Amino acid sequence: MGVQAVKSDQGLAHRAFPALSVLAAAMFAYAPFMIMGAPYESTMGLVQKIFYFHVPAWFAMFTAAAVCGLASAMYLFGGRKSWDGVAASAAEIVVVFGAIGLITGPLWGRKAWGVWWQWDARLTLSLVVWLTFVAYLLLRRFGGAGSEKLAAGVALFGVANIPFVYQSVNWWRTVHPKTTVVMTLGPGMRGAFWWCVGAFLLLTVLLLIARIRLERERATLDDLYLLVEES
Amino acid sequence: MRFLHTVLLVLEKDLRIEVRSMEIFYTTVFFAVACVLVFSFGFVREGEPIEGAAAGILWIAIAFSGTLALGRTFERERHGDTLRALMMAPVDRPALYVAKLLGVLVLLAAVEAVVVPLIALMFQAPLFAEPLMLGGLLFAGTVGFAAVGTLFAAMLVRARSRDVLLPVLLYPITVPVIIAGVRGTAALLQGEPDVGMARAWLSMLVFFDVVFITLALWTFEPLMTD
């Protein structure tokens, strides 16, 4: 029974995985050339190039956060264990891409603003969201038996909290470039930027697929152990 | 009607236990006072408090002592293994949540009744210049904090390392409450009170309360089911 579950798992995502991996690798390999070809930003110069990895990393983080929140709600109200695996996988990806954003941000800020950290709206929002998901992983790891359900609640609240954190830190203070920056990019920059966004989102999807499969195989293995013990 | 009756019964039970020992009230109040003391060493220069320190210290004291009160409230249930009995009772689960939330609110209101005058006294803060607005901010902020805190504390009763996990989970989620509370109170405490600003923060707090109480009522049942 367990073996069948593994086999039926080999769906579209599974079959497309190698091709998508090659595509993602190619996109990341070509990204430096796109970024090199993009024009220099007038005031910040070379250091602004970090933007092509910094912003897409945040895009990836918030996408994964949305997936985690949605999967947690499905698990909480639907009760299917597989949704919990999706949520846990997405939460790990949130923390990874958040860490990338939180490292590249200060590197850029040091040159652009003269300081490593600014308590501006978007930085604070990202830090709070990142901390929420670190707390989620801590709960899963150290909460003991039954903490999956509690973690699902935390993810749901964490995602619902995002608009509030955004609004409150926005009113609190702001020095970060406005969201409109992305829409008003010069034509040379736009191509490189969206190329990188595509590469990062593709990587997010690939990581999700791989991580969810690991989670499922782990669950199947547990089931098989139980079967062996029973027989 | 039955919902309300359940809420009142559980609330009455909790308050009766608390009034008999006053354990959580005394320990939480003195913890809050100790917080104020520790923070005043950080924010008083040459005998004069830094501008805006009073608002920050007030809300830190509320958040810290609130965490302690939340943990203790459910520790009592866990110790007697009575939460399971409550959960097995044939009543609406959300009614239990509302009763617990009201219990925590009563406790925190009592703590604030001590801490707010204390801070006004020690930091020469004109906390009572706009009593209605300050009361609104305190009420809405405490409700927001306790609404999320009660749910998380109830969930964590069954978890390991619950003492440290409660603040770890609670603080990032209640960031909007802390910011709105501190900035709203600071707007009232500045030389020329900015009531419009305080009202804007208050409206955000009310909005936060509505969304998170709804979410908590909605998720309490599935979260507390084994």
Side-chain angles (χ1 to χ4, degrees), chain B residues 64-164:
Chain B
F64 281 14
S65 53
T67 314
L68 197 73
L70 284 164
R72 296 295 308 160
T73 306
F74 284 94
E75 187 60 26
R76 192 176 270 167
E77 295 278 7
R78 199 188 68 84
H79 193 70
D81 212 5
T82 44
L83 196 62
R84 184 166 305 172
L86 267 184
M87 287 298 152
M88 273 156 58
V91 292
D92 279 342
R93 290 272 172 86
L96 299 176
Y97 167 77
V98 173
K100 285 287 173 196
L101 173 60
L102 288 177
V104 171
L105 282 178
V106 169
L107 202 66
L108 284 181
V111 172
E112 284 165 15
V114 176
V115 173
V116 173
L118 183 76
I119 288 178
L121 213 73
M122 288 170 84
F123 293 89
Q124 298 103 43
L127 275 171
F128 300 107
E130 296 280 346
L132 270 184
M133 193 47 93
L134 178 75
L137 281 170
L138 277 173
F139 178 74
T142 312
V143 168
F145 184 80
V148 182
T150 305
L151 180 71
F152 283 9
M155 293 175 353
L156 284 171
V157 168
R158 282 176 284 130
R160 277 194 294 129
S161 21
R162 66 190 81 79
D163 301 332
V164 64

Side-chain angles (χ1 to χ4, degrees), chain B residues 49-68:
Chain B
I50 296 174
E51 199 196 338
I57 293 172
L58 172 64
W59 283 93
I60 291 173
I62 293 174
F64 281 14
S65 53
T67 314
L68 197 73

